[in-house]
Amino acid sequence: PPLIAPRTHHPAEAERRFQSGWPIALAALALVVVTAFIAIALGPTRVPLHEVLAALTGRSDSGFASDIVLQVRLPRVCAALACGAALAVAGALVQATFANPLVDVTLVGIAPVACVGAVVCAAALHSTSVVLAAVGALALTLIALTALVRLRASGLRFTLLGVAFGALCTAVLGVLVSIPSVAAGRSVASWVFGSLALADWPRVVVIAGAAVAGCIVLRSDGRALDAACLGEVPARRLGVDVHRARRRWIAAVALLVAPRSEEHTSELQ
């Protein structure tokens, strides 16, 4: 049984806090929309904002501008938004999972291992399928996360272990990139540095769908995540089954991070 009663708020106080967050959320959403419009308009071929709006609403008279907006830049912007949102949630989630406010998906090697999984799966199956690459990244990410949790390292030891693991995965990726028969080095290197140049609508669907699935897994874990940030022992005293919750969180992190590793697979083989 819990030794410490969970903190509760009066319904009126909870409602007030909920309502006070709306202006910030709306302002952030407006900033995202404006930034997206600017990103679609700017590029080697500049598209005026009124042409962007016309293309998005299907009233464009220029087929060239419409193709640039709908088939090239809009998928890239949507992929960037989906990746950013997924990584933001994944970052907060791994901090709670490992009870370490300095942890992120790069520090513990999750992002590099996802890329390695995508490359290995696509190369082994001689396929450029987006789904197969995402499955390979998901499988290897689950294995890596499970291993990190079972090691039970903490503090400086965990940080050094995560850095070493990430460096190992990056080295493996470097070896794979150097093999012409495994991957097109330019595309993999481009992805490692954050390029979305190869984004298209199938990839957007995979990334966004996985991000939504990861958030659905977390739909009722808000209080458990807050408690886990205090550490495993305090979380148990608050009545949280940490081991069971971590299994869900590992699956959610894998869903949030792994699909973005298939961005380069159209140039594999």
Side-chain angles (χ1 to χ4, degrees), residues 93 138 142 145 214 217 246-256:
L93 188 54
L138 180 62
L142 283 171
L145 280 169
V217 172
R246 276 178 175 169
R247 286 195 290 268
R248 294 195 303 273
W249 299 342
I250 287 173
V253 171
L255 285 170
L256 291 166

Side-chain angles (χ1 to χ4, degrees), residues 242-266:
V242 178
H243 292 297
R244 179 178 295 179
R246 276 178 175 169
R247 286 195 290 268
R248 294 195 303 273
W249 299 342
I250 287 173
V253 171
L255 285 170
L256 291 166
V257 175
R260 56 186 286 276
S261 64
E262 48 72 33
E263 188 65 37
H264 61 272
T265 54
S266 67

Side-chain angles (χ1 to χ4, degrees), residues 68-195:
I68 291 178
V69 170
L70 298 179
Q71 302 302 325
V72 178
R73 295 183 183 173
L74 185 58
R76 296 177 182 178
V77 170
C78 290
L81 293 175
C83 286
L87 290 177
V89 176
L93 188 54
V94 293
Q95 289 175 4
T97 301
F98 299 108
N100 189 332
L102 300 179
V103 171
D104 63 15
V105 295
T106 304
L107 179 63
V108 296
I110 298 172
V113 79
C115 185
V116 171
V119 174
V120 170
C121 182
L125 298 177
H126 302 283
S127 172
T128 60
S129 169
V130 174
V131 176
L132 285 177
V135 168
L138 180 62
L140 206 55
T141 302
L142 283 171
I143 295 172
L145 280 169
T146 303
L148 284 172
V149 169
R150 290 186 176 276
L151 286 174
R152 298 182 179 274
S154 60
L156 181 60
R157 181 185 175 190
F158 177 83
T159 302
L160 294 175
L161 182 64
V163 171
F165 184 62
L168 175 63
C169 294
T170 303
V172 171
L173 182 61
V175 172
L176 293 175
V177 169
S178 67
I179 303 175
S181 61
V182 172
R186 182 188 64 81
S187 63
V188 176
S190 177
W191 177 86
V192 169
F193 287 104
S195 173

